[in-house]
């Protein structure tokens, strides 16, 4: 009995030893900061003087007295609403093309994947130049077709579409996830459909899409979570301008917390963001009846 | 007859696929090509219409001028140091934790693992403000410590990835080792690590990309230019250089090269790593 207990004890000890560093990480770099950020969101705090508890004032001010917050919120919803569906569609089409068994595929995969592996800051810089109204290649192509291109990042109406273009270019991760799903679709299904005379388009519509719907779902959830936190591109390309036309949620949070040192206000913003993301994720799971799981759920 | 039909259809489909793929590749590759082309042009050709695609004469000097205009060498050393330490930190903390979670039935394991996965759901914006305050009190702000020390304390994604991999290793190996009198530490070191080379390389690559390309955290924690990382330096260079696009593109090429090289050499691991996260979730 004593021996058994001591063996159990030793296993526990060794186990804790293995996970010690990570457990410390969970408590000191995640849960602890999470709790203190929650507390700070009810405080006025500028780093220099100690935090002062002010109840729900931050939340009240954000929701009812802060025009720029609502501007940032609407801009972010615009960015998410346009870029997420387009990226899903785009990534899916590219994945279908890349799934063909033809020669030279490694080359094509590399090209489609490169924008995703390289630094976001460099990508944003390249695109600022690509979208240059007078000398950029986009307007040059438009010009070729007789269209006068817009001022893109300099025009409040076109700055956000410009940023969304960059997001469309960085779909490599989603493509790879779709590809891995496509490669798991059993070929018998396609063969059966071919015997029934189904064309390429119908085969994908009726076989591929239902079978990889879990992957669609995964990409959708991750896509929404990530797009809601868009920052690098916006910071480099427009810094929120012109006239706050591209100020997005995290950009505004960054400015409040680290430019104006309103740490309490910033924490409240962070918690509202967290709440929005959680709600969206839960909603998606609730309405995920369209997802097909092989062998039931 | 039928066979002829299918093979004709096959050729037709392959052709369409090639056309679409090539079109897509041009659209995706063009900005890169243009970056390279701009980076090698003399300034008067940068603002020339119609666009000159192939730079003539080729001005290699742009690179030297761009890289010496601001201390890019310094940024490179800083980024390399931070990235290297981050990778080492992740390798140590995440392999240990992954083995503990995969194979040692200690008390409270499931709760802890659940908490760990929960941290993946937590947006970094929620924790960044308190972390900034903590690091400020420790006197770590404007040093590189906040950028790599946390990786010595785990990373949920890497632990999850390694744990999934460790779970596929048959336990018979382990049982044999226990009869042999090996302890968990020996089993971890002598069996699990050598068998997990692929998973370890995947972790190294993702840790590299996460650290090398990170912009948000350096922006918050670093403020003196001699401590800048490459992305920070690039952003600073942009505000300094304004319209000198040949210099900006030269600097971008240099910033992008390590990632591209890494991708070329370890393509397989990129794809496997991403696919693994997609499937397992």
């Amino acid at each position: 009995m004593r021996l058994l207990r001591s063996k159990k004890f030793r296993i526990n000890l060794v186990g804790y030893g293995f996970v010690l560093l990570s457990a410390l990480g969970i408590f000191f770099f995640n849960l602890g900061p999470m709790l203190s950020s929650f507390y700070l969101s009810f405080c006025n705090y500028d780093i220099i003087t100690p935090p002062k508890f002010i109840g729900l004032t931050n939340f009240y001010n954000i929701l009812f007295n802060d025009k720029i917050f609502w501007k940032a919120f609407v801009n972010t919803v615009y960015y998410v609403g346009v870029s997420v569906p387009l990226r899903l569609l785009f990534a899916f089409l590219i994945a279908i093309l890349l799934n063909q068994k033809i020669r030279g595929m490694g080359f094509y995969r590399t090209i489609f994947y490169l924008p995703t592996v390289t630094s976001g800051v460099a990508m944003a810089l390249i695109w600022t130049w690509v979208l240059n109204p007078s000398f950029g290649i986009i307007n040059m192509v438009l010009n070729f077709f007789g269209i006068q291109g817009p001022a893109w990042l300099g025009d409040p109406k076109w700055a956000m579409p410009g940023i969304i273009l960059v997001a469309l270019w960085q779909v490599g991760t989603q493509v790879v996830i779709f590809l891995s799903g496509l490669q798991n679709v059993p070929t018998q299904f396609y063969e059966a459909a071919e015997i029934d005379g189904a064309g390429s388009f119908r085969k994908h519509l009726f076989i591929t899409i239902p079978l990889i719907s879990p992957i669609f779902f995964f990409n959708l959830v991750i896509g929404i979570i990530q797009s809601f936190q868009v920052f690098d591109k916006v910071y480099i390309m427009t810094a929120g301008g012109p006239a706050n036309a591209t100020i997005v949620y995290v950009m505004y949070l960054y400015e409040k917390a680290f430019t104006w040192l309103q740490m309490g206000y910033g924490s409240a913003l962070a918690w509202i963001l967290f709440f929005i993301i959680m709600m969206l994720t839960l909603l998606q799971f609730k309405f995920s009846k369209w997802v097909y799981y092989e062998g039931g759920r | 007859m039928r066979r002829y039909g299918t093979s004709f259809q096959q050729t037709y489909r392959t052709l369409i696929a090639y056309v679409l793929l090539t079109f897509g590749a041009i659209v995706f590759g063009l900005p890169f090509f243009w970056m390279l082309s701009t980076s090698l042009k003399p300034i008067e050709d940068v603002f020339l219409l119609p666009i000159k695609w192939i730079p003539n004469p080729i001005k290699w000097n742009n690179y030297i001028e761009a890289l010496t205009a601001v201390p890019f060498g310094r940024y490179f050393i800083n980024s390399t140091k931070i990235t290297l330490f981050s990778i080492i930190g992740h390798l140590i903390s995440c392999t240990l934790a992954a083995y503990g979670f995969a194979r040692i039935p200690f008390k409270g394991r499931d709760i802890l693992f659940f908490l760990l996965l929960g941290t993946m759901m937590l947006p970094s914006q929620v924790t960044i403000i308190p972390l900034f305050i903590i690091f400020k009190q420790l006197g770590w702000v404007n040093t590189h410590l906040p950028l790599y020390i946390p990786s010595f304390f785990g990373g949920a994604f890497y632990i999850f990835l390694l744990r999934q991999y460790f779970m596929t290793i048959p336990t018979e190996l382990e049982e044999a080792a226990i009869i042999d009198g090996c302890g968990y530490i020996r089993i971890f070191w002598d069996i699990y690590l050598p068998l997990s080379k692929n998973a370890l390389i995947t972790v190294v690559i993702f840790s590299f990309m996460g650290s090398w390309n990170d912009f948000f955290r350096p922006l918050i924690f670093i403020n003196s230019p001699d401590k800048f990382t490459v992305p920070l330096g690039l952003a600073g260079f942009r505000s300094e250089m304004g319209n000198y696009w040949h210099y900006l593109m030269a600097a971008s090429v240099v910033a992008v090269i390590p990632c591209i090289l890494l991708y070329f050499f370890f393509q397989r691991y990129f794809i496997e790593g991403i696919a693994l996260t997609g499937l397992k979730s």
Side-chain angles (χ1 to χ4, degrees), chain A residues 8 12 16 18 22 33 36-37 102-103 108 113 117 119 125-126 129 135 137 140 169 218 229 263 274, chain B residues 14 18 22 28 34-35 38 47 51 53 96-97 104-107 123 125-126 130 159 213 238 263 274 281:
Chain A
K8 183 78 203 140
N12 280 341
Y16 296 138
F18 270 97
S22 299
S36 63
S37 147
I102 52 182
R103 235 180 291 166
Y108 288 113
Y113 202 52
V117 296
S119 133
L125 263 186
I126 297 173
W129 180 221
F135 306 99
I137 36 179
M140 185 212 73
W169 194 50
F218 176 77
Q229 303 177 49
M263 297 278 174
F274 189 25
Chain B
T14 309
Y18 267 124
T22 307
F28 268 69
W34 204 44
M35 161 179 75
T38 306
F47 302 104
I51 290 170
W53 288 98
L96 285 170
I104 305 178
F106 61 89
K107 211 175 145 199
Q125 291 83 19
V126 172
I159 296 174
N213 293 335
R238 153 110 175 101
Y263 177 73
I274 292 172
S281 309

Side-chain angles (χ1 to χ4, degrees), chain A residues 33-43 45 58-59 62 249 253 256-258 262-274, chain B residues 125-130 133:
Chain A
M34 184 180 155
L35 290 179
S36 63
S37 147
F38 188 67
Y39 173 70
L40 280 180
S41 69
F42 300 104
C43 293
Y45 186 43
N58 284 333
F59 291 96
I62 289 170
Y249 203 112
L253 192 160
K256 276 287 172 193
F258 296 102
Q262 300 183 9
M263 297 278 174
Y265 203 86
S267 300
L269 284 171
W271 274 87
I272 294 174
L273 176 69
F274 189 25
Chain B
Q125 291 83 19
V126 172
T127 51
I128 193 83
I129 291 172
I133 297 165

Side-chain angles (χ1 to χ4, degrees), chain A residues 5-22:
Chain A
R5 201 198 273 149
S6 81
K7 193 184 164 206
K8 183 78 203 140
F9 178 74
R10 262 192 49 203
I11 286 181
N12 280 341
L13 208 64
V14 174
Y16 296 138
F18 270 97
V19 299
L20 179 69
L21 289 171
S22 299

Side-chain angles (χ1 to χ4, degrees), chain B residues 69-97:
Chain B
V70 285
F72 258 101
R74 184 81 246 162
Y75 307 158
F76 245 85
I77 294 171
N78 292 340
S79 270
T80 309
K81 179 188 119 191
I82 294 165
T83 304
L84 196 71
F85 286 161
S86 289
I87 292 173
I88 293 172
H90 277 139
L91 278 181
I92 295 172
S93 62
C94 297
T95 51
L96 285 170

Side-chain angles (χ1 to χ4, degrees), chain B residues 104-116:
Chain B
I104 305 178
F106 61 89
K107 211 175 145 199
R109 179 175 72 168
D110 294 343
I111 297 170
L112 204 60
F113 191 62
F114 180 77
L115 280 177
L116 180 78

Side-chain angles (χ1 to χ4, degrees), chain B residues 18-205:
Chain B
Y18 267 124
V19 170
L20 290 174
L21 277 171
T22 307
F23 177 73
I26 290 173
V27 171
F28 268 69
L30 206 58
F32 278 112
F33 177 73
W34 204 44
M35 161 179 75
L36 203 63
S37 151
T38 306
S39 77
L40 292 168
K41 284 178 191 172
I43 179 76
E44 56 278 11
D45 286 4
V46 171
F47 302 104
L48 202 65
L49 290 172
I51 290 170
K52 236 169 132 180
W53 288 98
I54 310 291
N56 179 33
I58 292 183
K59 252 199 97 191
W60 294 106
N61 250 356
N62 284 348
Y63 281 80
I64 296 165
E65 285 159 21
L67 298 186
T68 49
V70 285
F72 258 101
R74 184 81 246 162
Y75 307 158
F76 245 85
I77 294 171
N78 292 340
S79 270
T80 309
K81 179 188 119 191
I82 294 165
T83 304
L84 196 71
F85 286 161
S86 289
I87 292 173
I88 293 172
H90 277 139
L91 278 181
I92 295 172
S93 62
C94 297
T95 51
L96 285 170
Y99 180 74
F101 285 123
R103 286 291 183 250
I104 305 178
F106 61 89
K107 211 175 145 199
R109 179 175 72 168
D110 294 343
I111 297 170
L112 204 60
F113 191 62
F114 180 77
L115 280 177
L116 180 78
L117 293 186
T119 64
M120 277 205 270
M121 304 287 292
L122 194 65
S124 59
Q125 291 83 19
V126 172
T127 51
I128 193 83
I129 291 172
L131 283 178
F132 178 80
I133 297 165
I134 295 168
F135 290 139
K136 197 172 168 62
Q137 273 159 5
L138 288 171
W140 287 8
V141 167
N142 203 22
T143 73
H144 293 148
L145 294 168
L147 302 176
Y148 63 80
I149 291 294
S151 54
F152 283 86
F153 295 91
F157 169 61
Y158 308 119
I159 296 174
F160 178 70
L161 195 148
L162 286 167
R163 174 183 172 267
Q164 298 306 100
Y165 199 89
F166 286 166
M167 305 269 266
T168 63
I169 294 173
T171 46
E172 287 90 54
L173 281 175
E174 216 169 317
E175 280 151 17
I178 289 175
I179 293 166
D180 257 11
C182 286
Y184 281 116
I185 298 166
R186 284 283 307 279
I187 295 168
F188 166 72
W189 189 257
D190 288 343
I191 299 176
Y192 278 75
L193 286 189
L195 283 176
S196 315
K197 221 181 83 207
N198 287 4
L200 294 176
I201 294 175
T202 307
V203 168
V204 168
I205 286 166

Side-chain angles (χ1 to χ4, degrees), chain A residues 158-178:
Chain A
W158 286 96
M160 194 55 103
I163 292 171
I164 290 171
L165 276 181
V166 190
L168 290 184
W169 194 50
Q170 299 169 307
V171 289
T173 308
Q174 269 128 317
V175 171
V176 172
I177 293 173
F178 271 129

